[in-house]
Amino acid sequence: MTDKPDRPARPGAMVAYEEAKALAVSPDPQVRADLAARPDLAPELLFYMADDDDPAVRRAVAMHESTPLRVAPRLARDRDVDVRVMLARRLARALPHLSAAESVALRDIALHALTMLAADQVVRVRAAVAGALRDVAVAPPALIATLARDVAREVAEPILRSCINLPDQELIAIVGAQPIPWVLEAIARRAKLSPPLADAVAAQGDRVATATLLANPGASLSDQGLDGLVEGRLAVTQQPANAVKSLLPPGLLGRLSRIIDDSVRGELVAHGFDREDRQEIVAVTQRRLEWARDYVKREPADAKALRLKAEGRLSEEVVWDALSWGDKGFVRAALALRADLPPDLVQRIIDTQSARAITALAWRAGLSMRCARLLQLKSGLPPTKLLNARNGVDYPMTEEQMRWQLGLFGVE
């Protein structure tokens, strides 16, 4: 091929099939990676590019919505960890759409690949499977149970805390077999705990888990379980105050906030912070406490983001607070509203684990580069792969470069 283009057509324009075939064998790996990220690329070319020598190309193929599922088992054995992580997220997104009879074969292939990834030796891969499947209603119970019993906290905790596919019998068995503090606390934080499950957690006598249980409005202890607490068997009175703060009346909460205010100020003075820095840090601390206290209302993330936008309060500070608390659902909703993009597209950009793409998303949402760096970190990128600010505060890419990144996802 002597007429091979050096670069793909600009994002947003359809790529002719013959041109795409030429780009797929370009000697420049960046050209191939850019091509593999295009939403309009033909599935057969993605199938071909799954064997590309460059890991960046295979990563783009692994997370592409049009990549044929029959290539999943091959990518699940890929030597590049990021390829396997992105494949896990892509398969989790595909599962809800594979329940029809004609999709049984594809569903079996997807489940086989997910099972391989759930047994991966690298914790980050297993954690990606767990994080992606915890909200998938059709996730196989056997696979979910395996992830829930994983010895690595970053794998098991998301499943134990929020996956709806874990029956009470399985959770009670895990409490008995693995009464580790973080396991008990994760289960105590579930949105709903039946009396048998709540009693099982309380019976282990872990102080933090018990306090978390009492502070959870969705947990229901039986009369027998409550009797045990009243009798002092679990020493509830020794719980840390912050663990049971939601049980306290608003007036007392206000007094505690002032005490925390004074305490924080004292610590900052002792460590040499000047007055301006002290005021800023205390203000952020109080704001983060208010944000966390707001979770008691159980307002859905999308509804909360819409409400704050209507009130003119969907600010960068709000995104910062949500990122600090790990509230991924709200962050996605807020970014979608601020950037005027569909939430699914925002999630897809984040799932690429591309520092440049995530930074471009933050720019589109009108966030500072400091916030863009935190978004990269909270999206799962290791510190060594973060895109840092230029001159400490400026975006390191030009506006044209960021528009190009977004254009790879069809954003005009």
Side-chain angles (χ1 to χ4, degrees):
M1 299 180 186
T2 57
D3 304 339
K4 280 189 295 188
D6 292 327
R7 293 189 62 81
R10 289 195 62 80
M14 292 291 291
V15 180
Y17 184 75
E18 292 303 319
E19 180 187 355
K21 282 176 62 178
L23 293 170
V25 294
S26 167
D28 185 345
Q30 186 59 54
V31 169
R32 302 198 305 273
D34 287 346
L35 176 69
R38 293 191 63 94
D40 56 346
L41 193 63
E44 55 267 32
L45 289 179
L46 288 162
F47 184 87
Y48 166 77
M49 297 177 81
D51 289 324
D52 196 282
D53 291 336
D54 192 89
V57 177
R58 302 197 304 277
R59 290 171 201 154
V61 172
M63 58 79 61
H64 202 291
E65 300 298 324
S66 298
T67 297
L69 287 178
R70 64 182 184 276
V71 81
R74 187 173 19 165
L75 291 172
R77 293 188 293 269
D78 197 282
R79 60 185 177 276
D80 183 82
V81 172
D82 287 334
V83 170
R84 306 200 300 274
V85 167
M86 291 176 186
L87 177 65
R89 293 169 178 158
R90 161 73 177 96
L91 292 174
R93 292 196 302 272
L95 273 186
H97 308 290
L98 298 176
S99 56
E102 63 270 19
S103 300
V104 169
L106 291 178
R107 181 180 172 83
D108 288 345
I109 291 173
L111 292 180
H112 173 59
L114 280 169
T115 301
M116 293 170 61
L117 294 169
D120 200 285
Q121 292 184 348
V122 177
V123 171
R124 190 157 69 90
V125 175
R126 304 200 307 275
V129 177
L133 288 181
R134 66 180 176 181
D135 297 322
V136 178
V138 296
L143 181 56
I144 291 298
T146 298
L147 294 168
R149 291 177 178 272
D150 199 285
V151 295
R153 180 173 184 173
E154 50 266 66
V155 178
E157 190 171 46
I159 299 293
L160 293 171
R161 182 170 177 174
S162 60
C163 185
I164 62 174
N165 284 14
L166 271 177
D168 278 4
Q169 302 94 305
E170 183 69 31
L171 286 163
I172 291 171
I174 291 173
V175 168
Q178 297 174 266
I180 306 166
W182 65 261
V183 169
L184 299 175
E185 186 180 356
I187 294 174
R189 289 182 181 276
R190 290 177 67 85
K192 296 287 185 183
L193 283 90
S194 66
L197 178 56
D199 289 355
V201 173
Q204 294 297 327
D206 183 87
R207 291 187 298 175
V208 174
T210 302
T212 303
L213 195 68
L214 291 173
N216 183 352
S220 302
L221 280 160
S222 69
D223 290 344
Q224 183 179 358
L226 287 171
D227 286 344
L229 298 182
V230 172
E231 291 167 4
R233 186 179 65 206
L234 300 178
V236 178
T237 55
Q238 298 177 20
Q239 307 307 324
N242 64 340
V244 292
K245 62 180 180 294
S246 64
L247 300 178
L248 301 176
L252 184 53
L253 277 173
R255 290 169 58 191
L256 284 176
S257 294
R258 289 191 291 274
I259 293 171
I260 290 171
D261 185 342
D262 293 340
S263 174
V264 171
R265 287 184 193 277
E267 284 294 315
L268 296 177
V269 169
H271 286 84
F273 286 87
D274 61 30
R275 185 172 181 273
E276 185 176 343
D277 286 342
R278 291 199 305 270
Q279 288 178 333
E280 180 181 355
I281 293 171
V282 169
V284 171
T285 301
Q286 290 179 323
R287 199 179 70 234
R288 298 274 162 82
L289 286 171
E290 289 296 329
W291 182 268
R293 190 179 302 151
D294 216 30
Y295 286 128
V296 177
K297 300 176 183 175
R298 297 190 174 276
E299 185 178 14
D302 292 346
K304 184 175 183 178
L306 283 168
R307 175 176 59 78
L308 290 175
K309 182 181 181 182
E311 295 171 357
R313 297 196 295 125
L314 194 61
S315 63
E316 178 170 317
E317 287 183 345
V318 163
V319 178
W320 268 98
D321 292 341
L323 284 169
S324 298
W325 285 108
D327 192 342
K328 295 182 180 180
F330 179 85
V331 170
R332 178 181 62 186
L335 289 174
L337 290 172
R338 287 178 61 97
D340 192 23
L341 296 174
D344 288 347
L345 179 56
V346 169
Q347 188 62 54
R348 184 179 164 211
I349 294 173
I350 291 173
D351 285 345
T352 64
Q353 295 286 281
S354 164
R356 296 175 72 84
I358 293 172
T359 299
L361 171 63
W363 169 78
R364 166 91 178 198
L367 303 176
S368 68
M369 184 55 204
R370 288 180 63 233
C371 193
R373 190 180 186 280
L374 180 62
L375 178 61
Q376 295 175 64
L377 190 64
K378 293 293 186 176
S379 296
L381 274 73
T384 54
K385 292 188 177 182
L386 298 183
L387 194 62
N388 292 312
R390 179 168 50 86
N391 301 325
V393 294
D394 298 327
Y395 273 88
M397 294 186 289
T398 65
E399 210 174 291
E400 182 181 1
Q401 289 172 325
M402 288 189 282
R403 291 187 187 281
W404 172 263
Q405 288 290 328
L406 294 170
L408 294 174
F409 299 89
V411 178
E412 295 294 337

